[in-house]
Amino acid sequence: MTTIAPPVVRTNESTRSSGGRSGSVVWMALPALFWFVAFGVVPLLGVLWLSFTTWNGLGEIQPSGLTSWKATLSDPGLPHALWVTFLIMALSWAVQTPLSILIGVFIAARKRYREFLAVLFFIPLLLSSAAIAITYKSLLDPNFGLGTGLGIDALNQDWLGNATLAMGVLIFIVSWQFVPFHSLIYQGAV
């Protein structure tokens, strides 16, 4: 008995993607690339160009070469400012990670009132950094802030003027603002 082999269909493997579609799908990334260049790269290049100029924000822009860079890099407070920035970043990361994991796992589970709590957890993510800074500056004002408004003398401190208090307050604010973003990542992982 002789069997006949089925016909062989030959395809060009170089045009096939793993999903079985033929052709390239790189063109799908072009809109994202366009918006990234328009709102990410172009403003960054504009700021870089402005760093080589002198401008008070109102008058004419004057080219100044490397004078701004020299002044910034020779400032004796620069190493301390970089150290404080790194310290706030590292300590807020140490606070954000465990909280984000807990909230992300909680929100991913099927719990009662989960949807309502998820909305509350994600509100800080919707606010801009400028709005958060203005709000907390007003709330923490020792003369007109939250302590004065509520009549609680323990809250009437110079939260942002005292170096030890300011560090903790800034770590709290940065963590409060970015915990929802990391929680969303951990929720997706669950």
Side-chain angles (χ1 to χ4, degrees):
M1 184 182 318
T2 308
T3 58
I4 299 175
V8 177
V9 178
R10 299 194 192 278
T11 61
N12 188 353
E13 294 297 325
S14 64
T15 60
R16 285 207 170 267
S17 64
S18 61
R21 289 183 240 148
S22 62
S24 176
V25 292
V26 174
W27 62 271
M28 289 184 181
L30 290 179
L33 181 64
F34 170 77
W35 292 114
F36 174 72
V37 168
F39 292 104
V41 175
V42 171
L44 185 65
L45 292 175
V47 168
L48 182 65
W49 175 74
L50 280 175
S51 72
F52 296 103
T53 63
T54 302
W55 184 39
N56 64 1
L58 297 175
E60 189 177 333
I61 299 174
Q62 301 292 328
S64 63
L66 294 172
T67 56
S68 298
W69 283 89
K70 288 177 185 174
T72 301
L73 294 175
S74 64
D75 186 358
L78 180 66
H80 179 68
L82 291 174
W83 170 249
V84 169
T85 302
F86 174 76
L87 194 60
I88 290 172
M89 180 190 68
L91 292 176
S92 66
W93 174 79
V95 170
Q96 290 174 38
T97 301
L99 282 175
S100 299
I101 291 172
L102 289 172
I103 292 172
V105 170
F106 174 75
I107 292 175
R110 299 283 180 218
K111 300 282 184 185
R112 189 178 206 183
Y113 304 117
R114 179 182 64 89
E115 294 85 8
F116 175 73
L117 291 175
V119 170
L120 287 180
F121 289 148
F122 290 110
I123 286 175
L125 190 59
L126 303 175
L127 304 174
S128 72
S129 296
I132 290 172
I134 292 168
T135 302
Y136 272 103
K137 185 176 183 295
S138 299
L139 286 174
L140 298 172
D141 188 295
N143 300 317
F144 306 105
L146 191 61
T148 305
L150 295 176
I152 303 171
D153 290 333
L155 294 177
N156 287 335
Q157 298 183 34
D158 192 9
W159 294 98
L160 299 175
N162 185 342
T164 55
L165 290 176
M167 182 65 72
V169 167
L170 289 176
I171 291 167
F172 169 78
I173 294 171
V174 170
S175 299
W176 177 81
Q177 182 181 6
F178 290 108
V179 159
F181 175 72
H182 298 124
S183 297
L184 187 63
I185 293 172
Y186 290 121
Q187 178 186 359
V190 171

Coordinates of all heavy atoms in Angstrom, one line a residue, residues 32-47:
A32 N 4.1 56.0 19.6 CA 4.7 56.1 20.9 C 6.0 56.8 20.8 O 6.4 57.6 21.6 CB 4.8 54.7 21.6
L33 N 6.8 56.4 19.8 CA 8.1 57.1 19.6 C 7.9 58.5 19.3 O 8.7 59.4 19.8 CB 8.8 56.3 18.4 CG 10.2 56.9 18.1 CD1 11.2 56.7 19.3 CD2 10.8 56.2 16.9
F34 N 6.9 58.9 18.5 CA 6.7 60.3 18.2 C 6.4 61.1 19.4 O 6.9 62.2 19.6 CB 5.5 60.4 17.2 CG 5.0 61.8 17.0 CD1 5.7 62.7 16.2 CD2 3.9 62.3 17.6 CE1 5.3 64.0 16.1 CE2 3.4 63.6 17.5 CZ 4.2 64.4 16.7
W35 N 5.5 60.6 20.3 CA 5.1 61.3 21.5 C 6.3 61.4 22.5 O 6.4 62.4 23.2 CB 3.9 60.7 22.1 CG 2.6 60.9 21.3 CD1 1.9 60.0 20.7 CD2 2.0 62.2 21.0 NE1 0.9 60.6 20.0 CE2 0.9 61.9 20.2 CE3 2.3 63.5 21.3 CZ2 0.1 62.9 19.6 CZ3 1.5 64.5 20.8 CH2 0.4 64.2 20.0
F36 N 7.1 60.3 22.5 CA 8.2 60.3 23.4 C 9.2 61.4 23.0 O 9.8 62.2 23.8 CB 8.9 59.0 23.4 CG 10.2 59.0 24.2 CD1 10.2 59.1 25.6 CD2 11.4 58.9 23.5 CE1 11.4 59.1 26.3 CE2 12.6 58.9 24.2 CZ 12.6 59.0 25.6
V37 N 9.5 61.5 21.7 CA 10.4 62.5 21.1 C 9.8 63.9 21.4 O 10.5 64.8 21.8 CB 10.7 62.3 19.7 CG1 11.4 63.4 19.0 CG2 11.5 61.0 19.5
A38 N 8.5 64.1 21.1 CA 7.9 65.4 21.2 C 7.8 65.9 22.7 O 8.1 67.1 22.9 CB 6.4 65.3 20.6
F39 N 7.5 65.0 23.6 CA 7.3 65.5 25.0 C 8.5 65.0 25.9 O 8.5 65.4 27.1 CB 6.0 65.0 25.5 CG 4.8 65.6 24.9 CD1 4.1 65.0 23.9 CD2 4.5 66.9 25.2 CE1 3.0 65.6 23.3 CE2 3.4 67.6 24.6 CZ 2.7 66.9 23.6
G40 N 9.4 64.3 25.4 CA 10.5 63.9 26.3 C 11.9 64.4 25.8 O 12.6 65.1 26.5
V41 N 12.2 64.1 24.5 CA 13.5 64.5 24.0 C 13.6 65.9 23.7 O 14.6 66.6 24.0 CB 13.8 63.6 22.8 CG1 15.1 64.0 22.1 CG2 13.9 62.1 23.2
V42 N 12.6 66.5 23.0 CA 12.7 67.9 22.6 C 12.8 68.8 23.9 O 13.6 69.7 23.9 CB 11.5 68.3 21.7 CG1 11.4 69.8 21.5 CG2 11.6 67.5 20.4
P43 N 11.9 68.7 24.9 CA 12.1 69.5 26.1 C 13.4 69.3 26.8 O 14.0 70.3 27.3 CB 10.9 69.1 27.0 CG 9.9 68.5 26.1 CD 10.7 67.9 25.0
L44 N 13.9 68.1 26.8 CA 15.2 67.9 27.4 C 16.3 68.6 26.6 O 17.2 69.2 27.2 CB 15.5 66.4 27.4 CG 16.8 65.9 28.1 CD1 16.7 66.3 29.6 CD2 17.0 64.4 27.9
L45 N 16.3 68.6 25.3 CA 17.2 69.3 24.5 C 17.1 70.8 24.7 O 18.1 71.6 24.7 CB 17.1 69.0 23.0 CG 17.5 67.6 22.6 CD1 17.2 67.3 21.2 CD2 18.9 67.3 23.0
G46 N 15.8 71.3 24.9 CA 15.6 72.7 25.2 C 16.2 73.1 26.5 O 16.9 74.2 26.6
V47 N 16.1 72.3 27.5 CA 16.7 72.6 28.8 C 18.2 72.6 28.8 O 18.9 73.4 29.3 CB 16.1 71.6 29.9 CG1 16.9 71.7 31.2 CG2 14.7 71.9 30.1

